[in-house]
Amino acid sequence: MKVAVTPVRVVCNNTLNLALDTAKRSFSMFHTGNIHDKIQEAKDTLFMAEQYMDSLGIEFEQLRR
């Protein structure tokens, strides 16, 4: 499984490949072992990414002003 933060809007396999190939930050794991711990780790990572994007948006707005 792979998760990536990207500005590319995925609408087909070509844009999916573009998004994954150009992502600056990504998270991946194998779907084996203790899946519950891995799901929690993925949730934590996505939450941190969401916080980062929110903070970045606030900074952009401050710079715009």
Side-chain angles (χ1 to χ4, degrees):
M1 178 176 3
K2 185 172 187 175
V3 177
V5 177
T6 176
V8 177
R9 181 171 176 248
V10 177
V11 294
C12 66
N13 197 55
N14 289 337
T15 53
L16 173 62
N17 289 331
L18 175 66
L20 292 176
D21 290 345
T22 61
K24 301 280 189 228
R25 302 271 188 246
S26 65
F27 175 83
S28 61
M29 68 176 129
F30 291 104
H31 193 262
T32 58
N34 186 340
I35 193 64
H36 296 292
D37 288 344
K38 291 180 178 183
I39 289 172
Q40 186 59 50
E41 185 179 353
K43 284 181 184 178
D44 293 344
T45 301
L46 289 172
F47 181 70
M48 286 187 289
E50 183 178 4
Q51 285 180 326
Y52 169 76
M53 294 302 287
D54 290 344
S55 297
L56 187 61
I58 291 168
E59 288 183 43
F60 284 159
E61 181 60 25
Q62 290 172 346
L63 288 170
R64 184 189 68 80
R65 289 184 194 167

Tab-separated table of all heavy atoms in Angstrom:
chain	number	residue	atom	x	y	z
A	1	MET	N	0.845	-1.154	0.000
A	1	MET	CA	0.000	0.000	0.000
A	1	MET	C	0.898	1.227	0.000
A	1	MET	O	1.932	1.247	0.646
A	1	MET	CB	-0.896	-0.008	1.251
A	1	MET	CG	-1.752	1.190	1.333
A	1	MET	SD	-2.945	1.301	2.694
A	1	MET	CE	-2.718	-0.099	3.685
A	2	LYS	N	0.502	2.258	-0.749
A	2	LYS	CA	1.285	3.492	-0.805
A	2	LYS	C	0.350	4.688	-0.727
A	2	LYS	O	-0.677	4.725	-1.398
A	2	LYS	CB	2.099	3.554	-2.093
A	2	LYS	CG	3.028	4.745	-2.165
A	2	LYS	CD	3.960	4.653	-3.365
A	2	LYS	CE	4.996	5.755	-3.313
A	2	LYS	NZ	5.974	5.634	-4.372
A	3	VAL	N	0.716	5.651	0.103
A	3	VAL	CA	-0.036	6.892	0.262
A	3	VAL	C	0.920	8.033	-0.051
A	3	VAL	O	2.066	8.009	0.385
A	3	VAL	CB	-0.561	7.042	1.710
A	3	VAL	CG1	-1.268	8.361	1.904
A	3	VAL	CG2	-1.467	5.871	2.077
A	4	ALA	N	0.450	9.018	-0.803
A	4	ALA	CA	1.300	10.149	-1.156
A	4	ALA	C	0.506	11.446	-1.093
A	4	ALA	O	-0.678	11.475	-1.429
A	4	ALA	CB	1.871	9.955	-2.559
A	5	VAL	N	1.173	12.511	-0.661
A	5	VAL	CA	0.592	13.847	-0.694
A	5	VAL	C	1.062	14.490	-1.984
A	5	VAL	O	2.262	14.629	-2.209
A	5	VAL	CB	1.042	14.675	0.529
A	5	VAL	CG1	0.490	16.083	0.451
A	5	VAL	CG2	0.615	13.998	1.818
A	6	THR	N	0.100	14.847	-2.830
A	6	THR	CA	0.447	15.375	-4.143
A	6	THR	C	-0.614	16.371	-4.605
A	6	THR	O	-1.792	16.214	-4.260
A	6	THR	CB	0.565	14.234	-5.173
A	6	THR	OG1	0.804	14.784	-6.461
A	6	THR	CG2	-0.663	13.367	-5.218
A	7	PRO	N	-0.224	17.366	-5.368
A	7	PRO	CA	-1.217	18.296	-5.896
A	7	PRO	C	-1.907	17.781	-7.162
A	7	PRO	O	-2.828	18.407	-7.665
A	7	PRO	CB	-0.388	19.542	-6.222
A	7	PRO	CG	0.955	18.997	-6.550
A	7	PRO	CD	1.135	17.812	-5.638
A	8	VAL	N	-1.502	16.624	-7.646
A	8	VAL	CA	-2.063	16.068	-8.878
A	8	VAL	C	-3.433	15.454	-8.585
A	8	VAL	O	-3.574	14.632	-7.670
A	8	VAL	CB	-1.121	15.002	-9.476
A	8	VAL	CG1	-1.738	14.363	-10.713
A	8	VAL	CG2	0.236	15.598	-9.799
A	9	ARG	N	-4.426	15.869	-9.340
A	9	ARG	CA	-5.765	15.285	-9.199
A	9	ARG	C	-5.816	14.006	-10.030
A	9	ARG	O	-5.707	14.040	-11.258
A	9	ARG	CB	-6.825	16.267	-9.691
A	9	ARG	CG	-8.221	15.731	-9.544
A	9	ARG	CD	-9.231	16.832	-9.832
A	9	ARG	NE	-10.567	16.281	-9.782
A	9	ARG	CZ	-11.361	16.145	-10.828
A	9	ARG	NH1	-10.967	16.562	-12.015
A	9	ARG	NH2	-12.555	15.622	-10.699
A	10	VAL	N	-5.981	12.889	-9.353
A	10	VAL	CA	-5.946	11.587	-10.020
A	10	VAL	C	-7.316	11.280	-10.617
A	10	VAL	O	-8.318	11.208	-9.901
A	10	VAL	CB	-5.520	10.474	-9.041
A	10	VAL	CG1	-5.567	9.120	-9.721
A	10	VAL	CG2	-4.124	10.759	-8.499
A	11	VAL	N	-7.342	11.128	-11.936
A	11	VAL	CA	-8.587	10.788	-12.635
A	11	VAL	C	-8.440	9.553	-13.521
A	11	VAL	O	-9.434	9.044	-14.024
A	11	VAL	CB	-9.108	11.977	-13.478
A	11	VAL	CG1	-9.526	13.128	-12.591
A	11	VAL	CG2	-8.073	12.423	-14.488
A	12	CYS	N	-7.215	9.094	-13.708
A	12	CYS	CA	-6.987	7.907	-14.519
A	12	CYS	C	-5.631	7.312	-14.123
A	12	CYS	O	-4.926	7.858	-13.274
A	12	CYS	CB	-7.006	8.242	-16.014
A	12	CYS	SG	-5.645	9.300	-16.530
A	13	ASN	N	-5.277	6.213	-14.725
A	13	ASN	CA	-4.017	5.553	-14.391
A	13	ASN	C	-2.805	6.424	-14.729
A	13	ASN	O	-1.810	6.408	-14.011
A	13	ASN	CB	-3.917	4.202	-15.103
A	13	ASN	CG	-2.857	3.335	-14.468
A	13	ASN	OD1	-2.906	3.106	-13.264
A	13	ASN	ND2	-1.905	2.860	-15.259
A	14	ASN	N	-2.894	7.203	-15.814
A	14	ASN	CA	-1.764	8.073	-16.179
A	14	ASN	C	-1.502	9.122	-15.110
A	14	ASN	O	-0.353	9.368	-14.734
A	14	ASN	CB	-2.028	8.763	-17.518
A	14	ASN	CG	-1.944	7.801	-18.673
A	14	ASN	OD1	-1.302	6.758	-18.590
A	14	ASN	ND2	-2.614	8.137	-19.759
A	15	THR	N	-2.574	9.775	-14.612
A	15	THR	CA	-2.366	10.789	-13.574
A	15	THR	C	-1.996	10.147	-12.241
A	15	THR	O	-1.287	10.751	-11.438
A	15	THR	CB	-3.597	11.706	-13.411
A	15	THR	OG1	-4.763	10.916	-13.197
A	15	THR	CG2	-3.769	12.589	-14.642
A	16	LEU	N	-2.443	8.914	-12.005
A	16	LEU	CA	-2.016	8.193	-10.804
A	16	LEU	C	-0.508	7.970	-10.845
A	16	LEU	O	0.201	8.236	-9.868
A	16	LEU	CB	-2.737	6.849	-10.680
A	16	LEU	CG	-2.246	5.932	-9.557
A	16	LEU	CD1	-2.444	6.585	-8.195
A	16	LEU	CD2	-2.945	4.590	-9.623
A	17	ASN	N	-0.004	7.504	-11.968
A	17	ASN	CA	1.443	7.294	-12.108
A	17	ASN	C	2.209	8.595	-11.964
A	17	ASN	O	3.263	8.643	-11.317
A	17	ASN	CB	1.757	6.630	-13.448
A	17	ASN	CG	1.311	5.189	-13.480
A	17	ASN	OD1	1.267	4.520	-12.464
A	17	ASN	ND2	0.973	4.702	-14.658
A	18	LEU	N	1.685	9.682	-12.551
A	18	LEU	CA	2.327	10.984	-12.428
A	18	LEU	C	2.369	11.417	-10.957
A	18	LEU	O	3.406	11.864	-10.460
A	18	LEU	CB	1.579	12.029	-13.258
A	18	LEU	CG	2.089	13.463	-13.130
A	18	LEU	CD1	3.497	13.584	-13.710
A	18	LEU	CD2	1.133	14.424	-13.812
A	19	ALA	N	1.257	11.266	-10.260
A	19	ALA	CA	1.191	11.659	-8.853
A	19	ALA	C	2.185	10.873	-8.006
A	19	ALA	O	2.910	11.440	-7.183
A	19	ALA	CB	-0.230	11.466	-8.325
A	20	LEU	N	2.230	9.573	-8.190
A	20	LEU	CA	3.124	8.737	-7.386
A	20	LEU	C	4.593	8.974	-7.743
A	20	LEU	O	5.453	8.975	-6.864
A	20	LEU	CB	2.773	7.258	-7.558
A	20	LEU	CG	1.424	6.837	-6.977
A	20	LEU	CD1	1.139	5.372	-7.300
A	20	LEU	CD2	1.354	7.082	-5.480
A	21	ASP	N	4.870	9.189	-9.021
A	21	ASP	CA	6.258	9.394	-9.455
A	21	ASP	C	6.826	10.743	-9.026
A	21	ASP	O	8.032	10.872	-8.834
A	21	ASP	CB	6.367	9.270	-10.977
A	21	ASP	CG	6.168	7.846	-11.461
A	21	ASP	OD1	6.233	6.910	-10.618
A	21	ASP	OD2	5.937	7.659	-12.668
A	22	THR	N	5.962	11.755	-8.873
A	22	THR	CA	6.449	13.100	-8.562
A	22	THR	C	6.204	13.514	-7.112
A	22	THR	O	6.579	14.619	-6.727
A	22	THR	CB	5.801	14.143	-9.492
A	22	THR	OG1	4.383	14.120	-9.309
A	22	THR	CG2	6.163	13.873	-10.943
A	23	ALA	N	5.596	12.649	-6.306
A	23	ALA	CA	5.300	12.990	-4.909
A	23	ALA	C	6.592	13.207	-4.131
A	23	ALA	O	7.524	12.400	-4.211
A	23	ALA	CB	4.477	11.888	-4.262
A	24	LYS	N	6.647	14.304	-3.408
A	24	LYS	CA	7.817	14.604	-2.573
A	24	LYS	C	7.779	13.794	-1.281
A	24	LYS	O	8.815	13.451	-0.728
A	24	LYS	CB	7.858	16.089	-2.223
A	24	LYS	CG	7.922	16.988	-3.424
A	24	LYS	CD	9.313	17.061	-3.969
A	24	LYS	CE	9.382	18.140	-5.023
A	24	LYS	NZ	10.014	17.744	-6.228
A	25	ARG	N	6.583	13.530	-0.793
A	25	ARG	CA	6.417	12.774	0.449
A	25	ARG	C	5.461	11.614	0.193
A	25	ARG	O	4.405	11.788	-0.417
A	25	ARG	CB	5.815	13.649	1.545
A	25	ARG	CG	6.616	14.869	1.865
A	25	ARG	CD	7.637	14.553	2.940
A	25	ARG	NE	8.293	15.777	3.379
A	25	ARG	CZ	9.563	16.011	3.184
A	25	ARG	NH1	10.303	15.152	2.556
A	25	ARG	NH2	10.107	17.124	3.615
A	26	SER	N	5.841	10.442	0.656
A	26	SER	CA	4.949	9.295	0.518
A	26	SER	C	5.171	8.336	1.679
A	26	SER	O	6.175	8.408	2.393
A	26	SER	CB	5.181	8.576	-0.814
A	26	SER	OG	6.473	8.023	-0.851
A	27	PHE	N	4.227	7.458	1.859
A	27	PHE	CA	4.246	6.472	2.932
A	27	PHE	C	3.841	5.148	2.313
A	27	PHE	O	2.850	5.086	1.591
A	27	PHE	CB	3.245	6.883	4.020
A	27	PHE	CG	3.082	5.886	5.119
A	27	PHE	CD1	3.969	5.857	6.173
A	27	PHE	CD2	2.038	4.977	5.109
A	27	PHE	CE1	3.822	4.939	7.194
A	27	PHE	CE2	1.895	4.059	6.124
A	27	PHE	CZ	2.781	4.041	7.173
A	28	SER	N	4.611	4.121	2.564
A	28	SER	CA	4.240	2.821	2.021
A	28	SER	C	4.504	1.733	3.045
A	28	SER	O	5.312	1.897	3.964
A	28	SER	CB	5.012	2.537	0.731
A	28	SER	OG	6.397	2.509	0.981
A	29	MET	N	3.781	0.626	2.890
A	29	MET	CA	3.971	-0.518	3.774
A	29	MET	C	3.524	-1.783	3.056
A	29	MET	O	2.734	-1.725	2.112
A	29	MET	CB	3.192	-0.329	5.066
A	29	MET	CG	1.691	-0.374	4.916
A	29	MET	SD	0.899	-0.265	6.505
A	29	MET	CE	-0.251	1.039	6.198
A	30	PHE	N	4.055	-2.891	3.513
A	30	PHE	CA	3.640	-4.180	2.989
A	30	PHE	C	2.399	-4.634	3.743
A	30	PHE	O	2.257	-4.384	4.940
A	30	PHE	CB	4.750	-5.232	3.139
A	30	PHE	CG	5.922	-4.958	2.251
A	30	PHE	CD1	7.085	-4.431	2.770
A	30	PHE	CD2	5.848	-5.221	0.894
A	30	PHE	CE1	8.166	-4.166	1.955
A	30	PHE	CE2	6.920	-4.963	0.069
A	30	PHE	CZ	8.089	-4.433	0.602
A	31	HIS	N	1.499	-5.271	3.056
A	31	HIS	CA	0.242	-5.719	3.631
A	31	HIS	C	0.414	-7.103	4.258
A	31	HIS	O	-0.251	-8.063	3.888
A	31	HIS	CB	-0.845	-5.731	2.539
A	31	HIS	CG	-2.210	-5.879	3.075
A	31	HIS	ND1	-2.868	-7.075	3.122
A	31	HIS	CD2	-3.045	-4.964	3.604
A	31	HIS	CE1	-4.057	-6.903	3.650
A	31	HIS	NE2	-4.193	-5.637	3.944
A	32	THR	N	1.377	-7.211	5.189
A	32	THR	CA	1.613	-8.453	5.917
A	32	THR	C	1.867	-8.114	7.376
A	32	THR	O	2.112	-6.964	7.722
A	32	THR	CB	2.838	-9.201	5.364
A	32	THR	OG1	3.982	-8.348	5.446
A	32	THR	CG2	2.629	-9.639	3.928
A	33	GLY	N	1.834	-9.099	8.228
A	33	GLY	CA	2.108	-8.869	9.647
A	33	GLY	C	0.893	-8.302	10.362
A	33	GLY	O	-0.245	-8.553	9.983
A	34	ASN	N	1.138	-7.511	11.414
A	34	ASN	CA	0.069	-6.941	12.226
A	34	ASN	C	-0.556	-5.751	11.505
A	34	ASN	O	-0.071	-4.629	11.582
A	34	ASN	CB	0.605	-6.514	13.594
A	34	ASN	CG	-0.499	-6.054	14.523
A	34	ASN	OD1	-1.591	-5.706	14.092
A	34	ASN	ND2	-0.198	-6.059	15.807
A	35	ILE	N	-1.650	-6.011	10.824
A	35	ILE	CA	-2.271	-4.987	9.990
A	35	ILE	C	-2.870	-3.867	10.834
A	35	ILE	O	-2.902	-2.705	10.416
A	35	ILE	CB	-3.316	-5.596	9.029
A	35	ILE	CG1	-3.735	-4.589	7.960
A	35	ILE	CG2	-4.521	-6.103	9.789
A	35	ILE	CD1	-2.636	-4.172	7.042
A	36	HIS	N	-3.329	-4.153	12.056
A	36	HIS	CA	-3.938	-3.122	12.900
A	36	HIS	C	-2.927	-2.032	13.266
A	36	HIS	O	-3.255	-0.843	13.234
A	36	HIS	CB	-4.561	-3.747	14.148
A	36	HIS	CG	-5.697	-4.676	13.836
A	36	HIS	ND1	-6.902	-4.230	13.328
A	36	HIS	CD2	-5.792	-6.016	13.926
A	36	HIS	CE1	-7.695	-5.262	13.122
A	36	HIS	NE2	-7.046	-6.370	13.478
A	37	ASP	N	-1.706	-2.432	13.601
A	37	ASP	CA	-0.658	-1.445	13.896
A	37	ASP	C	-0.318	-0.623	12.662
A	37	ASP	O	-0.092	0.585	12.744
A	37	ASP	CB	0.607	-2.126	14.417
A	37	ASP	CG	0.446	-2.665	15.827
A	37	ASP	OD1	-0.513	-2.257	16.523
A	37	ASP	OD2	1.283	-3.495	16.238
A	38	LYS	N	-0.292	-1.268	11.518
A	38	LYS	CA	0.035	-0.568	10.282
A	38	LYS	C	-1.068	0.406	9.882
A	38	LYS	O	-0.790	1.497	9.385
A	38	LYS	CB	0.310	-1.571	9.167
A	38	LYS	CG	1.600	-2.332	9.405
A	38	LYS	CD	1.878	-3.320	8.324
A	38	LYS	CE	3.211	-4.011	8.612
A	38	LYS	NZ	3.572	-4.930	7.560
A	39	ILE	N	-2.315	0.019	10.108
A	39	ILE	CA	-3.428	0.925	9.816
A	39	ILE	C	-3.343	2.155	10.711
A	39	ILE	O	-3.537	3.282	10.257
A	39	ILE	CB	-4.785	0.204	9.969
A	39	ILE	CG1	-4.976	-0.789	8.824
A	39	ILE	CG2	-5.935	1.202	10.024
A	39	ILE	CD1	-6.178	-1.690	8.982
A	40	GLN	N	-3.020	1.960	11.986
A	40	GLN	CA	-2.888	3.089	12.907
A	40	GLN	C	-1.738	3.997	12.475
A	40	GLN	O	-1.851	5.218	12.514
A	40	GLN	CB	-2.681	2.612	14.339
A	40	GLN	CG	-2.688	3.739	15.360
A	40	GLN	CD	-3.986	4.526	15.348
A	40	GLN	OE1	-5.062	3.954	15.396
A	40	GLN	NE2	-3.881	5.842	15.283
A	41	GLU	N	-0.636	3.406	12.062
A	41	GLU	CA	0.507	4.199	11.592
A	41	GLU	C	0.126	5.023	10.353
A	41	GLU	O	0.482	6.192	10.239
A	41	GLU	CB	1.687	3.289	11.273
A	41	GLU	CG	2.941	4.018	10.898
A	41	GLU	CD	4.113	3.091	10.608
A	41	GLU	OE1	3.994	1.877	10.818
A	41	GLU	OE2	5.149	3.614	10.168
A	42	ALA	N	-0.635	4.417	9.450
A	42	ALA	CA	-1.084	5.140	8.257
A	42	ALA	C	-2.020	6.283	8.645
A	42	ALA	O	-1.913	7.393	8.105
A	42	ALA	CB	-1.778	4.180	7.295
A	43	LYS	N	-2.934	6.046	9.572
A	43	LYS	CA	-3.841	7.105	10.039
A	43	LYS	C	-3.053	8.257	10.639
A	43	LYS	O	-3.336	9.423	10.369
A	43	LYS	CB	-4.808	6.555	11.081
A	43	LYS	CG	-5.919	5.710	10.520
A	43	LYS	CD	-6.824	5.234	11.662
A	43	LYS	CE	-7.899	4.314	11.181
A	43	LYS	NZ	-8.743	3.819	12.278
A	44	ASP	N	-2.080	7.930	11.493
A	44	ASP	CA	-1.259	8.972	12.122
A	44	ASP	C	-0.516	9.788	11.069
A	44	ASP	O	-0.442	11.012	11.151
A	44	ASP	CB	-0.259	8.351	13.103
A	44	ASP	CG	-0.933	7.715	14.312
A	44	ASP	OD1	-2.127	8.007	14.568
A	44	ASP	OD2	-0.264	6.911	14.992
A	45	THR	N	0.029	9.107	10.067
A	45	THR	CA	0.772	9.789	9.008
A	45	THR	C	-0.143	10.700	8.205
A	45	THR	O	0.215	11.849	7.914
A	45	THR	CB	1.443	8.757	8.082
A	45	THR	OG1	2.321	7.949	8.860
A	45	THR	CG2	2.215	9.436	6.966
A	46	LEU	N	-1.320	10.214	7.854
A	46	LEU	CA	-2.255	11.037	7.092
A	46	LEU	C	-2.741	12.228	7.905
A	46	LEU	O	-2.920	13.321	7.375
A	46	LEU	CB	-3.442	10.191	6.624
A	46	LEU	CG	-3.116	9.186	5.533
A	46	LEU	CD1	-4.310	8.277	5.279
A	46	LEU	CD2	-2.688	9.887	4.261
A	47	PHE	N	-2.933	12.048	9.202
A	47	PHE	CA	-3.344	13.152	10.066
A	47	PHE	C	-2.261	14.226	10.100
A	47	PHE	O	-2.559	15.417	10.013
A	47	PHE	CB	-3.648	12.641	11.472
A	47	PHE	CG	-4.095	13.720	12.421
A	47	PHE	CD1	-5.339	14.313	12.272
A	47	PHE	CD2	-3.269	14.143	13.434
A	47	PHE	CE1	-5.756	15.312	13.136
A	47	PHE	CE2	-3.674	15.147	14.305
A	47	PHE	CZ	-4.926	15.734	14.156
A	48	MET	N	-0.997	13.805	10.202
A	48	MET	CA	0.102	14.771	10.194
A	48	MET	C	0.162	15.507	8.856
A	48	MET	O	0.421	16.712	8.811
A	48	MET	CB	1.432	14.086	10.489
A	48	MET	CG	1.599	13.703	11.947
A	48	MET	SD	3.234	13.069	12.334
A	48	MET	CE	3.195	11.489	11.509
A	49	ALA	N	-0.082	14.803	7.763
A	49	ALA	CA	-0.071	15.434	6.448
A	49	ALA	C	-1.201	16.455	6.339
A	49	ALA	O	-1.012	17.544	5.795
A	49	ALA	CB	-0.203	14.380	5.344
A	50	GLU	N	-2.363	16.125	6.886
A	50	GLU	CA	-3.491	17.058	6.857
A	50	GLU	C	-3.176	18.309	7.677
A	50	GLU	O	-3.447	19.428	7.242
A	50	GLU	CB	-4.749	16.374	7.402
A	50	GLU	CG	-5.977	17.258	7.344
A	50	GLU	CD	-7.227	16.556	7.848
A	50	GLU	OE1	-7.151	15.408	8.309
A	50	GLU	OE2	-8.291	17.193	7.782
A	51	GLN	N	-2.569	18.127	8.844
A	51	GLN	CA	-2.176	19.269	9.672
A	51	GLN	C	-1.172	20.145	8.926
A	51	GLN	O	-1.258	21.373	8.960
A	51	GLN	CB	-1.566	18.801	10.992
A	51	GLN	CG	-2.566	18.284	11.979
A	51	GLN	CD	-1.881	17.846	13.266
A	51	GLN	OE1	-0.768	17.345	13.254
A	51	GLN	NE2	-2.578	18.025	14.376
A	52	TYR	N	-0.223	19.516	8.265
A	52	TYR	CA	0.792	20.261	7.501
A	52	TYR	C	0.130	21.087	6.403
A	52	TYR	O	0.448	22.263	6.229
A	52	TYR	CB	1.813	19.289	6.909
A	52	TYR	CG	2.734	19.934	5.914
A	52	TYR	CD1	3.780	20.754	6.337
A	52	TYR	CD2	2.557	19.751	4.553
A	52	TYR	CE1	4.632	21.368	5.425
A	52	TYR	CE2	3.393	20.356	3.641
A	52	TYR	CZ	4.430	21.160	4.074
A	52	TYR	OH	5.248	21.768	3.167
A	53	MET	N	-0.776	20.481	5.650
A	53	MET	CA	-1.429	21.192	4.554
A	53	MET	C	-2.272	22.348	5.085
A	53	MET	O	-2.310	23.420	4.475
A	53	MET	CB	-2.282	20.229	3.724
A	53	MET	CG	-1.460	19.177	2.985
A	53	MET	SD	-0.237	19.866	1.877
A	53	MET	CE	-1.273	20.455	0.568
A	54	ASP	N	-2.944	22.158	6.214
A	54	ASP	CA	-3.719	23.241	6.823
A	54	ASP	C	-2.803	24.390	7.227
A	54	ASP	O	-3.107	25.557	6.964
A	54	ASP	CB	-4.499	22.736	8.040
A	54	ASP	CG	-5.645	21.810	7.675
A	54	ASP	OD1	-6.048	21.781	6.489
A	54	ASP	OD2	-6.138	21.117	8.589
A	55	SER	N	-1.684	24.076	7.866
A	55	SER	CA	-0.728	25.107	8.279
A	55	SER	C	-0.135	25.823	7.072
A	55	SER	O	0.040	27.049	7.085
A	55	SER	CB	0.398	24.492	9.109
A	55	SER	OG	-0.103	23.938	10.295
A	56	LEU	N	0.153	25.071	6.035
A	56	LEU	CA	0.708	25.651	4.825
A	56	LEU	C	-0.288	26.614	4.189
A	56	LEU	O	0.076	27.706	3.739
A	56	LEU	CB	1.094	24.550	3.835
A	56	LEU	CG	1.840	24.964	2.586
A	56	LEU	CD1	3.170	25.616	2.946
A	56	LEU	CD2	2.068	23.750	1.699
A	57	GLY	N	-1.559	26.256	4.175
A	57	GLY	CA	-2.591	27.130	3.640
A	57	GLY	C	-2.682	28.440	4.406
A	57	GLY	O	-2.842	29.516	3.819
A	58	ILE	N	-2.560	28.374	5.727
A	58	ILE	CA	-2.579	29.575	6.566
A	58	ILE	C	-1.374	30.459	6.247
A	58	ILE	O	-1.500	31.680	6.111
A	58	ILE	CB	-2.613	29.197	8.058
A	58	ILE	CG1	-3.961	28.561	8.403
A	58	ILE	CG2	-2.346	30.411	8.940
A	58	ILE	CD1	-4.009	27.899	9.771
A	59	GLU	N	-0.213	29.849	6.108
A	59	GLU	CA	0.991	30.619	5.768
A	59	GLU	C	0.873	31.275	4.391
A	59	GLU	O	1.263	32.431	4.207
A	59	GLU	CB	2.233	29.731	5.819
A	59	GLU	CG	2.636	29.350	7.228
A	59	GLU	CD	3.912	28.526	7.248
A	59	GLU	OE1	4.858	28.869	6.516
A	59	GLU	OE2	3.932	27.541	8.015
A	60	PHE	N	0.332	30.561	3.432
A	60	PHE	CA	0.133	31.131	2.085
A	60	PHE	C	-0.795	32.337	2.160
A	60	PHE	O	-0.563	33.353	1.510
A	60	PHE	CB	-0.414	30.093	1.120
A	60	PHE	CG	0.598	29.107	0.629
A	60	PHE	CD1	0.172	27.885	0.111
A	60	PHE	CD2	1.948	29.366	0.634
A	60	PHE	CE1	1.096	26.958	-0.364
A	60	PHE	CE2	2.877	28.456	0.170
A	60	PHE	CZ	2.449	27.252	-0.330
A	61	GLU	N	-1.858	32.212	2.940
A	61	GLU	CA	-2.806	33.313	3.065
A	61	GLU	C	-2.148	34.514	3.728
A	61	GLU	O	-2.371	35.668	3.312
A	61	GLU	CB	-4.040	32.858	3.866
A	61	GLU	CG	-5.094	33.921	4.037
A	61	GLU	CD	-5.665	34.433	2.719
A	61	GLU	OE1	-5.634	33.709	1.706
A	61	GLU	OE2	-6.132	35.592	2.701
A	62	GLN	N	-1.314	34.282	4.719
A	62	GLN	CA	-0.601	35.377	5.382
A	62	GLN	C	0.356	36.064	4.413
A	62	GLN	O	0.463	37.290	4.388
A	62	GLN	CB	0.159	34.878	6.613
A	62	GLN	CG	-0.740	34.482	7.756
A	62	GLN	CD	0.004	33.802	8.887
A	62	GLN	OE1	1.150	33.389	8.737
A	62	GLN	NE2	-0.671	33.642	10.025
A	63	LEU	N	1.041	35.282	3.612
A	63	LEU	CA	1.957	35.859	2.618
A	63	LEU	C	1.197	36.646	1.548
A	63	LEU	O	1.653	37.687	1.076
A	63	LEU	CB	2.796	34.758	1.954
A	63	LEU	CG	3.865	34.135	2.843
A	63	LEU	CD1	4.447	32.910	2.138
A	63	LEU	CD2	4.944	35.136	3.174
A	64	ARG	N	0.030	36.140	1.190
A	64	ARG	CA	-0.785	36.815	0.166
A	64	ARG	C	-1.200	38.201	0.653
A	64	ARG	O	-1.217	39.150	-0.103
A	64	ARG	CB	-2.017	35.989	-0.157
A	64	ARG	CG	-2.872	36.573	-1.284
A	64	ARG	CD	-4.194	35.844	-1.438
A	64	ARG	NE	-5.079	36.048	-0.318
A	64	ARG	CZ	-5.852	37.145	-0.132
A	64	ARG	NH1	-5.804	38.134	-0.988
A	64	ARG	NH2	-6.667	37.226	0.915
A	65	ARG	N	-1.513	38.293	1.941
A	65	ARG	CA	-1.934	39.591	2.503
A	65	ARG	C	-0.760	40.531	2.577
A	65	ARG	O	-0.812	41.694	2.536
A	65	ARG	CB	-2.523	39.398	3.897
A	65	ARG	CG	-3.870	38.714	3.836
A	65	ARG	CD	-4.456	38.624	5.203
A	65	ARG	NE	-5.566	37.679	5.158
A	65	ARG	CZ	-6.124	37.196	6.218
A	65	ARG	NH1	-5.701	37.530	7.411
A	65	ARG	NH2	-7.117	36.351	6.120
